[in-house]
Structures are given as C-alpha cells and as structure tokens.
Amino acid sequence: MEETSREAVATAVQRVAGMLQRSDQLDKVEQYRRREARKKASVEARLKAAIQSQLDGVRTGLTQLHSALLDVKDIQSSLADVSKDWRQSINTIENLKDVKDAVVQHSQLAAAVENLKNIFSVPEIVAETQQLIEQAELLQAHRKLMELECSRDDLMYEQYRMDSKNTSDMHLISIYFEDVQGLSDELAKQLWMVLQRSMVTVRRDPTMLVSVVRIIEREEKIDRRMVDRKKQTGFIPPGRPKRWKDKMFEVLEGTVSTRIEGTQAVTREADKMWLVRLLEITRKYVLDDLIVVKNLMVQCFPPHYNTFNSLYHNAVSTRVKELASEDLEANEIVSLLTWVLNTYKSVEMMGHPELCSECDIHQLEPLLPPEVVNDLLSKYLLLLFILFNCSYKKDWQKDTEPEADQDGYYQTTLPAIVFQMFEQNLQVAAQIDGDFKEKVLKLCLKQMNTFLIRYREEAVIYKEEHLRDRQLPQCYVQYMIAIINNCQTFKKWLSGSHAVDTICVTVEDYFNDFNKIKKPFNQEMTSKALRRVVVEYIKAVMQKRITFKNADERKEGAERMMKEAEQFKFLFKKLAAGEDTDLLCGAITAIAEVFKLTDPTLLFLEVSTLVSKYPDIREEHIQALLAVRGDASREMRQMIIGTLSENKVSHSGATQCIFKDIAVPTITMTTMTTMTSMATSKLLK
C-alpha cells in the first residue's frame, strides 16, 4: 500500500508539474483544483456503484442456492416415497399376470373380428382380383391383393405373438390363404410383361407403365416395413421381401439386351457385309430407343430411376465383346473397332443433339477394354499378313503381265494394300490416344520388317522354281521386275521422302478451289500458307531429334532440304505469294548450309551468317541445329553460343520473323536414332 501511495503521489506531482510549467498557469490553479475534485468524486461514485452491484449479485446468488437446497430436500423425500410404494406393489404386479394374458387374447380376438369379414370373403376377393388381373386393371387388382395379404399377415403375426412355436396353426392360415401367393405371382407376370413391351406401351398407353411403377413402389414400401418389423419382433410374412424393384431392373436389362442381340438379321455366309449391317441396325435401334426414353419414358419413372442410358451402354458393351470374341475377318475387325471407337460416341449415336441433356459421352466407360482392342489390332495385322503372303504369290503365277504405273514401270498392288492397312490401323489407334497410336505404328513397322524378310525369301524361292522349269511361270521376268520395283516403293515409303511432294500437291489442289478470290486477299492467304509451311518444316527439323552420323549423311540431308526449299519456292511463286517467298524459303536453305559444311572450324562463320539473316533465332534453335549436325563438340557449341550472345544483333520490327513461332524441346545428345525411329516420327507427324 505504501508503494502504491508513493506511486500515486509521484504521478500527481508529475501531472501538477505539467500543468504549471508557465507563470500564467498559476492563475488557473483553483480551476485545476476544482476539475480534479470533480474527477475524484466521479471515480469514487463509479467505484461505489460497482461494489454495490457486486454485493447485490452475491446476495441474489446466496438466495438461489438456499432455494435449490430446499428443492433438493423435497425431491429426495419424494424419491423415498416412490421407492417405498414400488416395493409394496411388486406382489400386486405379479397378481396381474392373468389380466395381461387376457389383454393379449383380447387384442388377438379384436384383430380376428376386424379381419373376420375379409376372412370369410377371401374366396370372393380372390376371384375379383383374378378377374381384375385378366382385365389389365392392375392398380385395382393390386389394391385387392394388398387387402388379402394384410389380413393374412395380421393373423399370422397375432398367432406368432401368442405362440411362435405353434406351427400347425400357422400352416392352417397358410393353407386358407394359399391362393394369395398365386395372385401375387400372376400380377408380377403382368407387370414384367408390360415392362418387356415398355417401348411400345409408353407410346400407346403410358398410364399403364405409370401404374406398374406405382405398384412396384408400393411393394418396396411394404418390403421395408416388414423388414423393419422383423428386426423388432423376428416375424416376417411369407414371400417377403418381394424385391420387385430389383426384378424390374432385371427385366428392363434383359429387354434391352434382347433388343440389342436381336439386331443380327443375317450371317456371314448369307452376306459378307453382315457386321456392317448389324452395327448400323444397332446404332439406329439404340438411338431411336434413347430418344423415346428421353421424350416419353422418363416421365413415367421417378427421377432416381434414371438408369436407361447405362442399361443400353452395358448391353451394347456386352454385345460388342461377344462380337470381338468371334472369329472375325480382317475387314470386320476394322469395322468393329471404327464403330466402337468412333461411331458410338459421335453425333450419330450417343453424342446426338437430342441426347446431350441426358447422356454425357465423356462419362461413358469404354465399350471394349484396351487389352481387347490391342488383341484385335494384333489379330488384324496377323490376318492381313497371312492374306498377303498367300495373295502376292498367286499374282506371280498369272499368265498376264503385271500392271504398270503412270510411267510404264511394272508393279503390283501389294505396296498400296500394305500401306492402306497401316493407315487403317493408325486411324483406329488414333481414336484411343497418341501413345497408343505410336505403339501401333511401331508394331506395324516391326511387322513390315518381318514381311519384307519373308517377301525376299519368297522371291528367292520364286526364282529357284523358275530355274528348275524355265517355261513356268510364263511372265516370270515381268513379275520379277515388278518385285524389284515393289522393293523400291517400300524403301520410299520407309524413308518418307514423298512428304514434301504430298504437301505441294495438296496445297496447290486447295488453292485451285480458291482461284476466284481477288488478288489482295489471295496474296495474303498465300503468304500465310507459305509462312505456315516453312515454320512447320523447320519445326519438324528441330524437333525430330535426328543426329547425322557422318559427313555423307549431312551432305545428303542438306541437299534434300535445299531441293525441297526450291520446291516450296517454285510452288508459292506460282501461287503469287509475294516478295517474302525468297526470304522464308531461304531459311530452309540457310539451315541446310549449316548442315552441309564439311569443315567444323568454319561452323561459327556459317552460324553467324544464319543469325545475321534471321536475327530472331534464339539460343535453343542454334543448340538444336548443332545437335542435329552431330559433330560439334561441347566446347565448340559453348564457344559459338557465347560469342553470338556477346555480339547479338538487334533486329527491327520490320524484319520478317520466322523462328519466334518455333518452340524447341530440350535436346539430349545421348542417343542416335535409327532409320526405323526416323520413319516413326515422320509417320506420326
């Protein structure tokens, strides 16, 4: 307290000193004293009020505690009286056992009296119910059936409560109501018949379908109630639970499956196009049915019954799995996979505009598992190669000369058939994903290698057979020439050298369709097309990750690039692309010069020339070009990149930019690709 008093005095002295720092403030001492007095009185009043409030609260709490104590004593006294009365009434309760039994018997008799009318009228109600079922008055028939089942179940329940071990009385009740179960089964047959014909019923009499659903919903509620009662009492009536809802879905599933399976009208023996016809009929049936489901059927079922799309999807999946397991021919495999991977989710079927609100094609599971698709593709390749191995040897034995190409050189249709087979495989595989397409392409190339080895062996056998009898076959020389020419065709194909020819022919063909466009628009369109072709060409060179092994390969590759640049230049000048043609096509030639250079010590000068012509080229582009060249050491690459970075040429906005649109992936120098990997990359492009 003394310390607190000292602190208070010190604080007061400090405040007074602050108030009286100037001489003119001495006149206000009395004013300051009155103000401090008022503050002191106000603080004291608040303290008194707070203390008084606390005291009032304590007084109120003590009063309530005293009242609670009195209440507890009263409750304790009452509990003692209740305990005394309970002990005295135990004997009385035991004496009321007879009354309890009488109450149970009375409730049973009351139930019997209540159902007495129904019990005596059971035969009559059974006959009425049977007649209503035959007249297809299903709702009324079900109402009568519920009355009969309710009477039977109540009687059985009361008997169970009275004496659960008395099976004879239970059996007697069952015998008396034995026709009820028959009526239930007969009504169920009618329900399933309506559901089996639901597509027809929903058009002619949708109220009938609604009645069926209402009956099934009623039975579901009764099933739940009876199951709950069994948990409490252990009793459940005979025939429960009926599970008609589960049976309804089984019937609908069977109906859909039957409709899908019934689409096959012909066999392979009767029609070679049997599978195409089957798949088209299936597509039409499924689409028509789902449109009916969307427009009519869903209105007859509760929202949580929305399972028709999955029913049809599962049925179609089961059917195509059965088809996939059959001994399909090569063209049939292509038809099946094209339908499964393309047609099914297209706008012609599940992606139809009328089904968009009900069916999300992205949520549908694949009709065929990936492993089944793989097996089918492998089988397709095997079948085709078996077919080719048989067919091309038959051609060699013909008495007529082989066909000739446009230049008059002998050839057969074998290469075209093989290439078409590969293209079909890639088209089918592309429907799945890019990785799978690459896998299929590698499989095709592997099969091609096996096929070419076999082709060579058969050609040797063909020659040896001719040497044994030079009279046969008659056109041996002509077909041997065709065999040699075919080998050359297979080698063009593997190297992919025809790609630029195809591009030029395609571009010119498209521009012929637009030759009526006025000159300014035509020139702009041609310029953009040229730029796109050059950018994609350079991008392909940089992203191929091909490494030249020696100077000969670099020279061959560079000369080919220069030739193709001239092809582009000739084409687009012919199409009037404008003054940018030389600059854009010159980029390909400039890159080719980097590849063609034989002296690595001059590589810096050649790259510098490229950078000066096209200043938008970036460091990663140069890295990619040097990686493709294949003979630039790490030190040389670092020197070239470092020197060019220090002396980087700034380019004006007017400069034609080419490389800014070319993205280059990270280049790895650890592997060199083979001719097969080169062909793989080109085909995938």
Side-chain angles (χ1 to χ4, degrees), residues 213 217 245 248-249 252 289-314 350 355-360 363-364:
V213 176
E217 283 291 293
K245 185 177 180 180
M248 177 191 69
F249 287 119
L252 290 174
D289 285 1
L290 288 179
I291 291 176
V292 172
V293 167
K294 182 212 173 208
N295 295 329
L296 299 176
M297 191 80 77
V298 294
Q299 302 174 16
C300 302
F301 289 83
H304 60 277
Y305 279 51
N306 186 21
T307 58
F308 289 99
N309 291 333
S310 61
L311 287 178
Y312 275 89
H313 177 76
N314 295 336
M350 302 303 285
L355 302 181
C356 291
S357 61
E358 299 292 330
C359 179
D360 185 359
Q363 300 296 326
L364 294 175

Side-chain angles (χ1 to χ4, degrees), residues 130 133 145 149 178-192 239 242 244:
Q130 182 66 45
I133 293 175
L145 177 63
E149 289 179 337
E178 62 180 351
D179 292 336
V180 174
Q181 187 60 44
L183 289 174
S184 178
D185 296 339
E186 185 64 27
L187 179 61
K189 290 180 182 179
Q190 295 296 319
L191 300 182
W192 312 148
K242 293 182 178 181
W244 278 6

Side-chain angles (χ1 to χ4, degrees), residues 80-351:
D81 295 339
V82 169
S83 177
K84 181 179 178 181
D85 294 340
W86 177 76
R87 291 190 183 92
Q88 293 176 352
S89 64
I90 291 177
N91 296 331
T92 305
I93 293 173
E94 292 179 353
N95 294 333
L96 292 175
K97 184 176 182 300
D98 296 338
V99 177
K100 180 181 178 182
D101 294 339
V103 170
V104 172
Q105 187 176 8
H106 175 75
S107 65
Q108 293 172 343
L109 291 174
V113 170
E114 184 178 350
N115 292 295
L116 192 60
K117 179 180 179 181
N118 291 334
I119 292 173
F120 285 120
S121 60
V122 164
E124 181 182 350
I125 298 176
V126 167
E128 292 178 1
T129 307
Q130 182 66 45
Q131 185 177 5
L132 290 171
I133 293 175
E134 292 173 356
Q135 295 173 352
E137 299 291 341
L138 302 184
L139 275 180
Q140 297 184 33
H142 185 248
R143 191 176 298 109
K144 294 286 185 181
L145 177 63
M146 287 193 298
E147 293 177 4
L148 291 170
E149 289 179 337
C150 183
S151 299
R152 179 198 63 186
D153 297 345
D154 287 347
L155 285 174
M156 285 186 167
Y157 178 60
E158 293 300 331
Q159 177 61 35
Y160 179 85
R161 288 177 57 194
M162 184 173 63
D163 187 1
S164 60
K165 297 180 181 180
N166 189 347
T167 57
S168 60
D169 289 347
M170 281 288 193
H171 182 66
L172 183 62
I173 298 173
S174 299
I175 292 296
Y176 188 76
F177 286 92
E178 62 180 351
D179 292 336
V180 174
Q181 187 60 44
L183 289 174
S184 178
D185 296 339
E186 185 64 27
L187 179 61
K189 290 180 182 179
Q190 295 296 319
L191 300 182
W192 312 148
M193 188 180 301
V194 172
L195 289 172
Q196 288 169 353
R197 303 178 68 251
S198 55
M199 285 296 168
V200 178
T201 305
V202 77
R203 292 183 176 97
R204 296 180 179 177
D205 187 10
T207 56
M208 175 68 74
L209 196 57
V210 173
S211 298
V212 170
V213 176
R214 289 180 60 187
I215 291 171
I216 292 173
E217 283 291 293
R218 287 178 184 173
E219 289 293 337
E220 279 293 301
K221 292 179 181 178
I222 298 174
D223 277 350
R224 288 194 294 269
R225 188 168 67 249
M226 294 303 171
V227 170
D228 291 341
R229 188 167 71 175
K230 180 184 179 182
K231 293 177 182 178
Q232 298 173 0
T233 64
F235 172 78
I236 190 166
R240 292 288 178 185
K242 293 182 178 181
R243 297 190 177 92
W244 278 6
K245 185 177 180 180
D246 294 339
K247 179 64 177 177
M248 177 191 69
F249 287 119
E250 291 178 10
V251 172
L252 290 174
E253 182 178 356
T255 302
V256 173
S257 299
T258 302
R259 183 161 174 79
I260 299 299
E261 293 171 0
T263 55
Q264 183 167 347
V266 294
T267 61
R268 181 186 293 118
E269 292 74 16
D271 186 354
K272 290 296 183 182
M273 300 295 291
W274 69 276
L275 184 58
V276 175
R277 298 182 189 280
L278 168 62
L279 295 174
E280 176 58 21
I281 294 173
T282 302
R283 183 199 67 79
K284 187 176 184 304
Y285 279 14
V286 171
L287 178 60
D288 291 345
D289 285 1
L290 288 179
I291 291 176
V292 172
V293 167
K294 182 212 173 208
N295 295 329
L296 299 176
M297 191 80 77
V298 294
Q299 302 174 16
C300 302
F301 289 83
H304 60 277
Y305 279 51
N306 186 21
T307 58
F308 289 99
N309 291 333
S310 61
L311 287 178
Y312 275 89
H313 177 76
N314 295 336
V316 173
S317 178
T318 301
R319 182 56 177 147
V320 295
K321 287 176 183 176
E322 293 174 355
L323 292 172
S325 64
E326 294 186 9
D327 188 18
L328 297 177
E329 296 179 354
N331 62 319
E332 294 170 350
I333 293 176
V334 173
S335 297
L336 180 62
L337 288 178
T338 303
W339 192 89
V340 168
L341 302 175
N342 188 15
T343 304
Y344 182 70
K345 291 186 178 181
S346 70
V347 294
E348 297 178 354
M349 197 169 177
M350 302 303 285

Side-chain angles (χ1 to χ4, degrees), residues 3-136:
E3 184 177 356
T4 303
S5 299
R6 286 196 299 272
E7 290 179 356
V9 171
T11 302
V13 170
Q14 187 176 0
R15 289 190 62 190
V16 170
M19 294 177 185
L20 303 177
Q21 291 181 354
R22 300 190 306 273
S23 58
D24 59 340
Q25 292 177 330
L26 294 174
D27 297 336
K28 300 179 181 180
V29 170
E30 185 63 24
Q31 180 181 350
Y32 291 154
R33 187 185 66 77
R34 287 196 299 270
R35 185 176 68 185
E36 293 300 321
R38 286 196 300 271
K39 288 184 178 180
K40 179 181 178 183
S42 175
V43 171
E44 289 177 350
R46 288 200 299 272
L47 286 174
K48 289 180 181 179
I51 293 172
Q52 185 63 39
S53 176
Q54 292 291 332
L55 290 175
D56 291 342
V58 171
R59 187 180 298 109
T60 302
L62 290 174
T63 302
Q64 291 176 347
L65 287 174
H66 180 70
S67 176
L69 179 61
L70 295 177
D71 292 339
V72 168
K73 290 181 179 179
D74 292 340
I75 293 171
Q76 186 176 11
S77 176
S78 300
L79 287 175
D81 295 339
V82 169
S83 177
K84 181 179 178 181
D85 294 340
W86 177 76
R87 291 190 183 92
Q88 293 176 352
S89 64
I90 291 177
N91 296 331
T92 305
I93 293 173
E94 292 179 353
N95 294 333
L96 292 175
K97 184 176 182 300
D98 296 338
V99 177
K100 180 181 178 182
D101 294 339
V103 170
V104 172
Q105 187 176 8
H106 175 75
S107 65
Q108 293 172 343
L109 291 174
V113 170
E114 184 178 350
N115 292 295
L116 192 60
K117 179 180 179 181
N118 291 334
I119 292 173
F120 285 120
S121 60
V122 164
E124 181 182 350
I125 298 176
V126 167
E128 292 178 1
T129 307
Q130 182 66 45
Q131 185 177 5
L132 290 171
I133 293 175
E134 292 173 356
Q135 295 173 352

Side-chain angles (χ1 to χ4, degrees), residues 529-548:
L530 170 61
R531 178 179 178 81
R532 176 69 181 274
V533 168
V534 172
V535 167
E536 293 298 327
Y537 184 97
I538 298 176
K539 187 186 298 182
V541 171
M542 292 186 174
Q543 293 182 349
K544 287 290 179 95
R545 300 186 181 182
I546 298 173
T547 302
F548 293 122

